[in-house]
Amino acid sequence: MAKVLAALRNHWKKSTFGACLLGWGGHWLYGKHCDNLLRRAACQEAQAFGNQLIPATVPLKKATVFLNPAACKGKAGNLFEKNAAPILHLSGLDVTVVKTDYEGQAKKLLELMENTDLIIIAGGDGTVQEVITGLLRRADEAAFSKIPIGFIPLGKTCTLSHTLYPESTNQVQHITNATLAILKGETVPLDVLQIKGEKEQPVFAVSGLRWGSYRDAEVKVSKYWYLGPLKTKAAHFFSTFKEWPQKHQAALMYLGPTERPPEEPEEKPSRPPLYVRLYRRLRSYWSSPKEFPQEVAPEDWEELKLSTIELSIATRNRQLDLTRTEDFMDICIEAESVSKGEFVHRG
């Protein structure tokens, strides 16, 4: 024992490095063990759904998964197969996985897809935007929109994941909780932003719209990957070499918050019996004449001409409040008098 202590003291640098490496390895193995326990518990819960008996005349529910393998730097396919696919297959659903090969393919596939009982989006914010756009562009959008949509967060940027699953702490828990929520039929109403152009078809988004210098600089961040943690600052710094200040002229027309319309009943009420209809007809005939309703004033839209460095329009999905009775959006107009130093620092 004395020789071991003497060796550790004489080689303290190697001993310190070995202790740190051993501690990191133990922490990594413990994390993997916890992830396996989460997967096992989720599979056991999903198996309870698959063991439920259904009548022979009732067909299996069909679920169509739109998987973007390129999400999360190409790791989305492995994440789905390891964490979400076993849960879906154990639940007794008839699962069809559609892998997208290029950007915009999910949008086209949704416009041509036939009937399904459930749509599942497996990817990031871009995949969500494509599927929602393809769904709402369909000719039978009113009927097809009633199909529930599930979201399994696999992308590098998943704005809705922390809103829908705030109790999740890591990526594996995010994926398993999202998949189990789909099986349980937990639904949350979300706002959808429609973006119309002069010629192209409308585009739909659930998070928001950004237009300006900050957004243009963030698109070029991956170009400076070799700078490591400084790549974001570098993208904003080099973008200031263009014409400065980078002003964007726009005209904005907006309307204040409006009350949310009442939800339409899913099924039309059955037609009342003949004697009830006759009674209502006679009562309306002998009753006093109704007063004509007053004309409703037209909506008072306000127009604002602006010059800004960045314009962003965001829905309220990030701060979800199911009790609110009004529909509104957040509009942020950045000041055009931003110095180069402030632009790089804030970026």
Side-chain angles (χ1 to χ4, degrees), residues 38-50:
L38 287 173
R39 297 187 187 101
R40 182 183 302 174
C43 288
Q44 290 174 352
E45 191 171 351
Q47 194 171 12
F49 287 93

Side-chain angles (χ1 to χ4, degrees), residues 161-208:
S161 62
H162 295 284
T163 302
L164 300 177
Y165 320 109
E167 69 280 359
S168 304
T169 56
N170 58 20
Q171 189 175 38
V172 174
Q173 193 174 15
H174 267 300
I175 298 172
T176 55
N177 285 353
T179 311
L180 289 175
I182 294 171
L183 300 183
K184 296 175 183 177
E186 298 176 356
T187 58
V188 176
L190 296 176
D191 296 332
V192 178
L193 180 66
Q194 184 183 27
I195 306 164
K196 286 185 177 181
E198 294 182 356
K199 297 181 180 180
E200 299 181 356
Q201 291 182 298
V203 177
F204 299 87
V206 294
S207 55

Side-chain angles (χ1 to χ4, degrees), residues 8 11-27:
L8 293 176
H11 303 85
W12 64 271
K13 292 183 179 178
K14 295 181 180 179
S15 302
T16 304
F17 176 76
C20 293
L21 184 62
L22 185 63
W24 178 84
H27 179 73

Side-chain angles (χ1 to χ4, degrees), residues 137-148:
R137 281 182 179 178
R138 293 178 60 97
D140 56 348
E141 171 266 332
F144 222 80
S145 297
K146 296 181 180 179
I147 299 175

Side-chain angles (χ1 to χ4, degrees), residues 200-260:
E200 299 181 356
Q201 291 182 298
V203 177
F204 299 87
V206 294
S207 55
L209 167 69
R210 292 182 59 192
W211 174 63
S213 302
Y214 287 104
R215 189 259 180 192
D216 295 340
E218 288 184 6
V219 172
K220 301 178 181 178
V221 169
S222 59
K223 179 181 177 182
Y224 304 98
W225 59 270
Y226 51 86
L227 295 177
L230 298 177
K231 59 184 178 181
T232 303
K233 300 294 183 183
H236 288 77
F237 174 73
F238 288 113
S239 65
T240 60
F241 290 173
K242 299 179 181 180
E243 181 182 356
W244 191 265
Q246 299 177 10
K247 299 180 181 179
H248 296 80
Q249 309 293 330
L252 178 66
M253 294 186 66
Y254 63 94
L255 185 67
T258 57
E259 290 190 7
R260 178 171 294 181

Side-chain angles (χ1 to χ4, degrees), residues 4 6-7 10 24 31 38 82 85 101 104 151 155 162 164 244 269 316 327:
V4 173
N10 294 333
W24 178 84
L38 287 173
K82 198 172 184 179
D101 298 324
F151 174 52
H162 295 284
L164 300 177
W244 191 265
R316 298 293 296 178
D327 286 332

Side-chain angles (χ1 to χ4, degrees), residues 37 48 59 108 120 140 182 194 217 245 265 303 311 314 328 342:
L37 292 178
K108 298 178 181 179
I120 300 176
D140 56 348
I182 294 171
Q194 184 183 27
E303 184 175 1
L311 172 66
F328 57 94
E342 291 176 341

Side-chain angles (χ1 to χ4, degrees), residues 291-310:
E291 297 181 358
F292 292 97
Q294 297 180 355
E295 294 184 359
V296 180
E299 296 178 338
D300 189 13
W301 287 77
E302 299 186 28
E303 184 175 1
L304 175 66
K305 295 186 180 296
L306 52 94
S307 176
T308 179
I309 194 174
E310 179 89 358

